Amino acid sequence: MFIQTESTPNPATLKFLPGQTVLELGTADFPNAEAAEKSPLAKRVFAAGPVTGVFFGTDFVTVTKADDADWQHIKPAILGAIMEHYQSGAAVMDGEAKAAGGHAEHTGEDGDIVRQIKELLDTRVRPAVAQDGGDITFHGFERGVVYLHMQGACAGCPSSTLTLKMGIENLLRHYIPEVTEVRPVAA
């Protein structure tokens, strides 16, 4: 098994590509070791060293390291943990655990606007940020403000504010005049 790695715009995060499906559908975010209890793969990655976050996409695992850790020291252990997991034949997620579909539900009078926001996020934004090892999902819409949740490499990335303001906000405002601002939300 050969696992490729790619850097991301977030220097604390690396993208690991095992060459196999990680999740059939959706994403899974593990912001700490306790959250990883429902995933044998995430548990192994957290156990490999000073890891502060693990994120799964359809064909990648994004790992965020502790600030004081050096990739040269922990990358081999993470590669080993991922390889060991796939060779074991264990499931990526435990039986009952489900990957997240992404966007939060929205009920109310702005249904058409929210549908447009989600469609633009799914077709224009999410594929691009997945390339960088992350995901951005709809969290809410209120009085012209779109609230987005950033995961994986996007969470804590130095360029995430620029991506939100200059990229996503401009895109949404261009296509949906009711959108006045985009803000990030914590999990």
Side-chain angles (χ1 to χ4, degrees):
M1 174 177 207
F2 178 71
I3 302 171
Q4 294 181 1
T5 59
E6 292 179 2
S7 59
T8 72
N10 184 346
T13 304
L14 269 181
K15 183 177 174 183
F16 294 80
L17 297 127
Q20 298 185 28
T21 300
V22 177
L23 290 179
E24 292 290 333
L25 222 62
T27 60
D29 190 24
F30 307 98
N32 54 51
E34 293 77 41
E37 285 304 310
K38 60 187 175 187
S39 169
L41 175 55
K43 280 194 277 194
R44 283 183 204 248
V45 173
F46 273 104
V51 171
T52 61
V54 176
F55 179 80
F56 298 157
T58 54
D59 64 347
F60 65 88
V61 175
T62 302
V63 179
T64 304
K65 67 174 184 65
D67 290 338
D68 58 349
D70 186 344
W71 279 120
Q72 286 186 310
H73 295 116
I74 66 169
K75 184 176 164 183
I78 294 168
L79 285 166
I82 294 170
M83 189 173 296
E84 190 179 281
H85 174 81
Y86 278 98
Q87 289 174 340
S88 76
V92 171
M93 303 285 277
D94 283 336
E96 298 297 309
K98 296 266 191 263
H103 304 302
E105 292 298 316
H106 178 85
T107 55
E109 58 194 51
D110 297 321
D112 287 340
I113 295 168
V114 170
R115 261 190 303 284
Q116 290 176 50
I117 291 167
K118 288 180 179 180
E119 183 177 334
L120 283 168
L121 289 173
D122 287 342
T123 59
R124 304 270 183 112
V125 177
R126 292 178 82 188
V129 295
Q131 291 293 313
D132 287 340
D135 197 12
I136 296 179
T137 57
F138 174 83
H139 188 78
F141 178 73
E142 188 177 321
R143 294 191 198 114
V145 179
V146 177
Y147 296 93
L148 300 177
H149 179 71
M150 304 174 92
Q151 300 172 303
C154 295
C157 177
S159 61
S160 64
T161 302
L162 188 64
T163 300
L164 270 181
K165 290 295 179 187
M166 302 307 291
I168 300 168
E169 185 175 291
N170 286 343
L171 173 80
L172 293 178
R173 288 174 67 185
H174 175 77
Y175 287 103
I176 308 167
E178 293 86 353
V179 173
T180 59
E181 186 181 355
V182 172
R183 293 184 193 163
V185 294

